[in-house]
């Protein structure tokens, strides 16, 4: 016989449920319940419901039905730490601030007109809105491992999908790519062997997009220790992402037309400093580099 376990949270105003299917023959789930390993719920209701259960033959399914219904209520242990309690308080504070400026949030509820498209790392220590003080509606943001922008030839990714929407639909006037110190993605890139194959390793497959930054780092800073090489590569990869932005025809056109600017930023959370610079692109440059940097500033 199979059971369905319904867990009902203690909210008086919102009712949600989760179902956990298990086989009664093992008794493992009930044992864990008795030992107090299922906590945080005011009641646990066990109901006998039809459950689809796979047979030994992968092309056949068997359905077990029960004839009666029972329920068991178990008191919860409210002493368990719930991380969402703090999140709830933060949300309520956020909501209170929204109520202080109803005109702004009424406008945001209808449309968004961000000035910035921000590409940042998924690292939990690097939150662009927190570090740079972006307010709701000000920055259209995408985060990935290593704040990498793949070239146009790479194909579809969530990063270039967000870029296309931000540039062509929202018509942002600035793209800011934010790198940071102690980047795990760059450490993974720098630790790769020359001929390493990364089949099945999603992280290394992704960061290998920036392998040219790794090569240039080895050439320029190969005499330094591994940590120093990583610091060098963090900025080298960041600039590579800025160059990759211009491989997208619709980004290049808006840059050439003077409607879009491309910027790099580097957040060092060890000493809490921020570097910012802008990319210069010379489309019809004869000789020399098409790319340059300007407005390099250091915030400390």
């Amino acid at each position: 016989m199979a059971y369905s376990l319904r867990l009902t949270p203690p909210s008086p105003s919102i009712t949600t449920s989760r179902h956990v299917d298990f086989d009664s023959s093992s008794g493992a789930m009930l044992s864990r319940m008795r030992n107090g390993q299922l906590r945080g719920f005011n009641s646990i209701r066990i109901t006998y419901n039809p459950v689809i259960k796979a047979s030994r033959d992968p092309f056949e399914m068997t359905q077990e039905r029960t004839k009666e219904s029972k329920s068991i209520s178990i008191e919860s242990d409210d002493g368990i730490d719930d991380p969402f309690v703090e999140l709830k308080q933060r949300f309520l504070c956020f909501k209170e601030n929204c109520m202080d400026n109803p005109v702004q949030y009424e406008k945001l509820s209808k449309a968004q007109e961000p000035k910035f498209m921000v590409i940042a790392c998924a690292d939990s220590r690097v939150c662009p809105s927190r570090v740079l003080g972006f307010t709701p509606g000000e920055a259209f943001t995408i985060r990935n491992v290593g704040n990498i922008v793949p070239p146009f030839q790479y194909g579809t990714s969530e990063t270039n999908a967000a870029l296309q929407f931000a540039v062509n639909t929202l018509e942002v006037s600035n793209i800011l790519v934010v790198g940071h110190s102690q980047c795990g993605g760059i450490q993974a890139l720098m630790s790769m062997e020359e001929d390493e194959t990364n089949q099945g390793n999603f992280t290394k497959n992704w960061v290998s997009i920036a392998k040219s930054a790794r090569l240039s780092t080895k050439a320029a800073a190969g005499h330094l220790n591994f940590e120093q090489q990583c610091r060098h590569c963090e900025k080298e990869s960041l600039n590579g992402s800025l160059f990759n932005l211009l491989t997208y025809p619709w980004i290049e056109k808006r840059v050439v037309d003077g409607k879009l600017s491309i910027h790099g930023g580097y957040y060092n959370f060890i000493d809490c400093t921020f570097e910012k610079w802008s990319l210069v692109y010379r489309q019809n440059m004869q000789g020399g580099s098409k790319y340059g940097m300007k407005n390099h500033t250091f915030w400390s």
Side-chain angles (χ1 to χ4, degrees):
M1 182 179 296
Y3 297 87
S4 175
L5 176 63
R6 170 169 295 179
L7 307 181
T8 305
S11 172
S13 57
I14 301 176
T15 301
T16 59
S17 63
R18 293 190 295 175
H19 292 275
V20 180
D21 294 329
F22 65 96
D23 195 302
S24 63
S25 60
S26 67
M29 181 65 77
L30 286 176
S31 176
R32 288 196 293 271
M33 288 163 54
R34 295 191 190 102
N35 292 333
Q37 294 182 21
L38 290 178
R39 301 182 179 182
F41 296 88
N42 277 352
S43 65
I44 299 177
R45 176 175 298 171
I46 301 176
T47 58
Y48 295 62
N49 291 323
V51 175
I52 301 298
K53 187 176 181 180
S55 67
R56 292 179 181 272
D57 187 335
F59 298 100
E60 292 183 2
M61 301 293 290
T62 60
Q63 183 172 358
E64 297 184 8
R65 298 183 179 274
T66 58
K67 299 180 180 180
E68 55 182 330
S69 178
K70 298 180 180 180
S71 65
I72 303 174
S73 294
I74 302 176
E75 294 300 323
S76 68
D77 181 357
D78 294 328
I80 192 171
D81 292 333
D82 185 352
F84 287 93
V85 172
E86 184 176 354
L87 292 186
K88 175 184 176 181
Q89 295 306 315
R90 294 181 191 178
F91 171 74
L92 293 178
C93 289
F94 168 77
K95 181 178 179 179
E96 184 177 355
N97 291 333
C98 293
M99 296 302 99
D100 291 338
N101 196 346
V103 175
Q104 178 190 7
Y105 283 90
E106 175 66 21
K107 180 180 178 181
L108 290 176
S109 68
K110 297 177 180 178
Q112 60 172 321
E113 297 178 351
K115 298 177 182 179
F116 292 89
M117 165 64 180
V118 176
I119 301 167
C121 186
D123 193 299
S124 63
R125 300 165 292 183
V126 185
C127 177
S129 296
R130 186 73 171 174
V131 174
L132 298 173
F134 288 120
T135 58
E138 194 173 8
F140 189 84
T141 305
I142 184 76
R143 299 175 68 176
N144 64 46
V145 174
N147 46 270
I148 293 173
V149 177
F152 179 76
Q153 295 80 6
Y154 180 79
T156 303
S157 71
E158 70 279 6
T159 299
N160 50 37
L163 274 168
Q164 187 175 47
F165 181 74
V167 173
N168 292 340
T169 302
L170 300 179
E171 298 184 344
V172 296
S173 54
N174 296 278
I175 298 177
L176 173 62
V177 182
V178 180
H180 69 95
S181 59
Q182 306 292 330
C183 181
I186 297 301
Q187 290 176 11
L189 174 66
M190 291 301 297
S191 65
M192 291 170 57
E193 300 294 336
E194 293 292 340
D195 56 349
E196 182 176 350
T197 58
N198 303 309
Q199 185 175 3
N201 190 319
F202 297 141
T203 300
K204 288 190 174 182
N205 276 334
W206 171 254
V207 299
S208 64
I209 295 171
K211 61 185 177 182
S212 60
R214 179 181 181 275
L215 294 174
S216 59
T217 294
K218 289 292 185 181
H223 62 288
L224 302 177
N225 62 42
F226 180 76
E227 184 176 350
Q228 291 171 322
Q229 289 182 37
C230 288
R231 300 295 80 75
H232 185 280
C233 190
E234 285 162 358
K235 295 183 180 180
E236 196 74 23
S237 175
L238 199 166
N239 282 326
S241 286
L242 299 185
F243 301 148
N244 284 345
L245 285 170
L246 291 167
T247 65
Y248 295 85
W250 26 274
I251 291 180
E252 181 189 30
K253 183 178 187 307
R254 289 185 67 82
V255 169
V256 171
D257 292 344
K259 297 178 180 180
L260 177 64
S261 298
I262 295 175
H263 314 275
Y266 181 81
Y267 170 51
N268 188 330
F269 51 71
I270 297 175
D271 55 11
C272 200
T273 58
F274 195 90
E275 286 183 72
K276 176 266 175 188
W277 60 93
S278 300
L279 180 67
V280 177
Y281 176 57
R282 309 174 184 91
Q283 183 185 31
N284 299 314
M285 180 86 172
Q286 298 297 324
S289 175
K290 289 184 176 182
Y291 310 104
M293 301 295 172
K294 67 176 182 179
N295 301 330
H296 192 167
T297 59
F298 188 82
W299 307 337
S300 62

